[in-house]
Amino acid sequence: LEEMQNDDKGQRLLKKLDKANRSMTGIPVLDCLIREKTMLCEKNGIVFTREGTTIGETTITEYEFVSLFANLLDNAIEATKKTEKKYINLSVEKQQGFLKILVSNSKPVNQNPLENDFITTKKDKKKHGIGNRIIRDIVELHGGRITYHDEGKELRVVVLMQI
């Protein structure tokens, strides 16, 4: 590592590693999930940007956080894979006793998930299509709400939950 600091290429790599390993939420298992989804995005040519704040004390369990974020990000990744300009933006912030999670991603213009209530397009309907119900259940359990905004080429999902 000391030798890597002596050249430009090594310094760039060290900065990239530092950024990838930096905690986003302060919840280790959730940060691990987000890093895993980041690597999956890189593998699929998806530009994944993320910004956030330490969540701190909350009544939301780690299991609920992982279920919520896994489903939000998996849905975004699936939609984004079908587009030319592949991107996902994740933002997590605290606002006056609420946690705000914003996921925006590219999507095919001809797909209208709001019109068909997010019914899965996958063939195996028994193993797929429950993610949005899981998201809604967790959000409602914590006195929150979820809103979807379909902008044609982009879908924005905003989650607000009490913390």
Side-chain angles (χ1 to χ4, degrees):
L1 289 174
E2 285 178 16
E3 288 179 25
M4 291 178 77
Q5 293 177 353
N6 294 330
D7 67 35
D8 289 340
K9 186 177 180 180
Q11 286 181 0
R12 284 192 306 270
L13 179 60
L14 288 172
K15 284 180 184 177
K16 187 175 182 179
L17 284 170
D18 180 53
K19 185 178 178 184
N21 288 318
R22 196 173 305 137
S23 175
M24 179 178 165
T25 66
I27 301 170
V29 69
L30 183 54
D31 288 332
C32 183
L33 172 82
I34 293 169
R35 281 193 292 274
E36 178 188 318
K37 298 303 179 185
T38 301
M39 290 186 292
L40 181 61
C41 285
E42 287 177 6
K43 182 180 173 184
N44 285 284
I46 300 169
V47 176
F48 183 49
T49 58
R50 58 191 185 162
E51 60 183 338
T53 185
T54 301
I55 293 171
E57 288 292 316
T58 178
T59 59
I60 304 166
T61 68
E62 288 182 351
Y63 177 80
E64 290 167 329
F65 270 127
V66 168
S67 295
L68 177 65
F69 277 77
N71 282 291
L72 286 168
L73 293 173
D74 285 345
N75 290 348
I77 290 167
E78 280 301 311
T80 300
K81 282 181 182 179
K82 301 170 188 172
T83 64
E84 285 186 38
K85 184 179 177 187
K86 298 171 175 23
Y87 68 88
I88 298 172
N89 301 313
L90 170 65
S91 172
V92 179
E93 60 185 275
K94 293 189 294 189
Q95 294 179 340
Q96 302 170 345
F98 283 86
L99 181 66
K100 179 181 178 184
I101 304 164
L102 170 63
V103 179
S104 58
N105 58 273
S106 57
K107 70 167 205 57
V109 176
N110 63 345
Q111 282 190 349
N112 302 307
L114 299 179
E115 290 179 10
N116 68 10
D117 198 31
F118 293 93
I119 295 172
T120 187
T121 57
K122 294 180 180 175
K123 291 179 182 178
D124 187 355
K125 305 232 187 282
K126 289 182 182 180
K127 293 183 181 178
H128 299 283
I130 61 169
N132 281 301
R133 187 170 62 234
I134 292 169
I135 293 167
R136 282 187 212 131
D137 288 349
I138 293 169
V139 171
E140 288 174 7
L141 180 65
H142 293 281
R145 73 172 199 257
I146 184 166
T147 55
Y148 300 92
H149 307 275
D150 189 338
E151 306 292 331
K153 291 183 178 182
E154 179 178 277
L155 182 70
R156 284 183 296 121
V157 181
V158 181
V159 173
L160 282 173
M161 293 191 305
Q162 293 178 356
I163 53 173

